[in-house]
Amino acid sequence: MANPGFAITLAIVVITTFVTYSEGAPRAFFVFGDSLVDNGNNNFLATTARADSPPYGVDYPTHRPTGRFSNGLNIADLISKQLGADPTLPYLDPALDGDKLLVGANFASAGIGILNDTGIQFVNILRIYDQLDLFQQYQQRVSALIGAEQTTRLVNGALVLITLGGNDYVNNYFLTPISVRQLQYNIQDYSHVVITEYSKILTVMTLVLSPLYIQYLTSLHTPRLHDLGARRVLVTGTGPLGCVPAELALWSSNGECANELQQASKIFNPLLVQMTTRLNQQLSSDIFVAVNAMELQNDFIDKPKEFGFVTSKIACCGQGPYNGLGLCTTASNLCTNRDEYAFWDAFHPTEKANKIIVKTIFTGSNKYMSPMNLSTIMEIDSL
C-alpha cells in the first residue's frame, strides 16, 4: 500500500509567515490503533471497515459521520479535550497541514490488530507497522516546518495512545468456529504470542525516529532507547470481549457473556501489565502506562444503572438479538437516547461510555492504571 506522498520545500527566504512550536502549548498527542480510536483514516482507504455513513456521528458536534465508530466523540477525542488541545486529525486527511501538525496526529485504522494476519478480510487498512512508517513521515514533515531540534522536543514531550488487541481475538482467533489460529494454539499460548508481538511493536515505537533526528540526538549524547521516541505511551488492553452485543448475539441465550472470549480478556490484560512493567524496567523509566480495559469496562457493564445506563447488553444501533448482528446503518434499529446505552453498535462504546473510560484513565487507581493514572503523569511531567 502506497503511503501518501509529501514534499519538503526549503524556501526560507521567500516565506513571510512560518510555523513555530511553543513549549507552552499543550503537549502533542499521537494516536495509533484500531476502530476504538480511528477518527477517519479509513475514510481515505478502499476498505469495508468504515464509519462514514449515518447514523454514525449523530451526536458529534456537526451531527455528521466522521469515520469515528461512535455516535459522537471517541476515546482519543476525549483525551485531547482533557489535555486542553484540539482533537488530532487523521493523518491521511489532507487538512492535516501547517500548524495543525503541531497538535499531533491520529494514525489509527479500523480493523487492524497486533498480528499482521488480523483483519485480512478488511483488505486495505493501515496495519500497525504502516502506522509507524507514517509516524516517521510525519516527523519529517514537522521538521521541515520547525526544524529537527524542535521536532525532537515536540515528539519527546508528547503523549501517545495505542489501542490494539481486541481484533486479534474477535477478527482472528474467534472469527470462525475453527480458525487457523485455533488449530495452532490454545487460547493461553495464543495470548502469549500476541503479547510477545505487542512488546516488539512497543519497542519499535520507541525507536521510530528518522536518521535526521538520530543524528541530532547523537550529537548531544549517546541516545538511550526512550530518547528516540515518545516519553509517555498509554497502552490499552482489551475490554470484556465476551460481553459486547455482537458476541451476545452469537453465543448468549439469556444475556450471559461468552465464556471463551471473556477468558481471552482475562488472560490478555494481566499479560499486558506484566509486559509494560518489564519494558519500563528495561528502560529505567515509566514510559509505558497499561490500561486494564477489562477491569475498567466491567464496572459499567456489570452495574449499568450505577452509571446512568438502562442497558449494557443491547447496542443502540443494530439489528437482531441485542442489536448485535450486522452493521449499523440507516436501516438499523436506532435508540433515541444514546446516553442510556453503554454500547453504540455491535462492538463500540457510546460517547457516554467513552467519557467514563477516559475519566478512569485520568483518575483511576492501580486496579485500572499501571503504574499510575494520566493525571499523576501530567503532574510529574509538569515539574
Side-chain angles (χ1 to χ4, degrees):
M1 172 168 41
N3 289 336
F6 66 95
I8 298 177
T9 304
L10 297 178
I12 299 173
V13 175
V14 298
I15 295 176
T16 57
T17 61
F18 56 93
V19 177
T20 58
Y21 167 60
S22 170
E23 292 192 17
R27 68 198 303 172
F29 185 36
F30 302 111
V31 182
F32 302 86
D34 57 25
S35 60
L36 289 170
V37 290
D38 182 357
N39 67 347
N41 280 308
N42 280 20
N43 294 357
F44 302 92
L45 301 172
T47 178
T48 57
R50 299 166 72 114
D52 57 348
S53 300
Y56 285 96
V58 63
D59 297 311
Y60 193 74
T62 61
H63 303 291
R64 300 178 64 182
T66 61
R68 292 165 172 83
F69 286 75
S70 173
N71 60 303
L73 302 178
N74 66 18
I75 294 168
D77 297 322
L78 294 165
I79 291 177
S80 289
K81 194 172 183 180
Q82 284 291 110
L83 293 175
D86 293 331
T88 55
L89 290 174
Y91 187 73
L92 299 186
D93 190 335
L96 182 64
D97 200 12
D99 59 355
K100 292 179 181 177
L101 286 163
L102 306 186
V103 174
N106 187 313
F107 303 89
S109 179
I112 75 153
I114 294 165
L115 302 182
N116 211 40
D117 62 316
T118 292
I120 56 174
Q121 68 270 34
F122 302 124
V123 187
N124 193 25
I125 50 182
L126 296 175
R127 303 193 180 282
I128 188 58
Y129 287 105
D130 296 325
Q131 295 181 27
L132 294 177
D133 286 344
L134 292 175
F135 185 39
Q136 286 185 300
Q137 185 186 101
Y138 162 88
Q139 291 176 79
Q140 291 172 340
R141 293 175 64 187
V142 173
S143 181
L145 291 173
I146 62 176
E149 180 178 350
Q150 291 283 18
T151 299
T152 300
R153 289 179 180 173
L154 182 147
V155 172
N156 281 350
L159 177 70
V160 172
L161 171 66
I162 181 166
T163 298
L164 291 172
N167 282 327
D168 292 287
Y169 293 98
V170 299
N171 279 312
N172 192 330
Y173 193 84
F174 293 108
L175 180 61
T176 57
I178 301 177
S179 67
V180 172
R181 291 298 190 177
Q182 288 179 38
L183 295 174
Q184 290 177 308
Y185 305 104
N186 62 39
I187 192 60
Q188 184 79 39
D189 291 342
Y190 178 73
S191 297
H192 279 277
V193 169
V194 172
I195 283 291
T196 298
E197 186 60 30
Y198 209 171
S199 179
K200 294 176 184 177
I201 291 165
L202 296 179
T203 301
V204 169
M205 178 171 282
T206 64
L207 292 167
V208 175
L209 207 60
S210 76
L212 177 65
Y213 310 126
I214 293 175
Q215 181 180 6
Y216 162 71
L217 286 168
T218 306
S219 70
L220 297 179
H221 54 76
T222 302
R224 294 170 294 174
L225 226 79
H226 63 282
D227 284 327
L228 304 182
R231 295 295 181 96
R232 301 291 190 183
V233 182
L234 292 171
V235 186
T236 69
T238 64
L241 298 173
C243 298
V244 301
E247 303 306 333
L248 295 182
L250 291 175
W251 307 109
S252 181
S253 58
N254 58 7
E256 77 281 5
C257 298
N259 183 59
E260 286 187 299
L261 281 150
Q262 286 296 88
Q263 187 63 26
S265 297
K266 290 176 182 177
I267 294 169
F268 182 85
N269 281 279
L271 287 176
L272 179 74
V273 173
Q274 293 170 22
M275 180 263 286
T276 54
T277 300
R278 183 174 63 255
L279 289 175
N280 286 339
Q281 290 171 347
Q282 292 171 0
L283 296 169
S284 300
S285 181
D286 290 329
I287 294 174
F288 299 106
V289 179
V291 182
N292 190 325
M294 184 171 190
E295 289 287 355
L296 192 159
Q297 294 181 44
N298 273 343
D299 287 352
F300 62 78
I301 286 176
D302 292 343
K303 300 176 182 178
K305 292 185 179 179
E306 291 186 11
F307 293 85
F309 296 120
V310 170
T311 177
S312 61
K313 298 184 183 300
I314 302 171
C316 169
C317 182
Q319 46 278 315
Y322 306 100
N323 279 345
L325 296 179
L327 302 174
C328 171
T329 70
T330 53
S332 299
N333 301 318
L334 180 65
C335 68
T336 56
N337 187 349
R338 272 70 69 181
D339 285 347
E340 294 181 346
Y341 289 72
F343 285 97
W344 159 244
D345 63 11
F347 289 102
H348 304 95
T350 56
E351 178 181 307
K352 180 177 177 178
N354 283 332
K355 287 179 178 178
I356 296 169
I357 291 168
V358 170
K359 181 180 179 181
T360 307
I361 287 173
F362 273 86
T363 64
S365 68
N366 288 347
K367 176 182 178 182
Y368 312 102
M369 304 293 299
S370 178
M372 67 191 90
N373 61 43
L374 189 48
S375 292
T376 303
I377 289 171
M378 294 176 66
E379 184 176 350
I380 291 172
D381 290 352
S382 69
L383 298 178

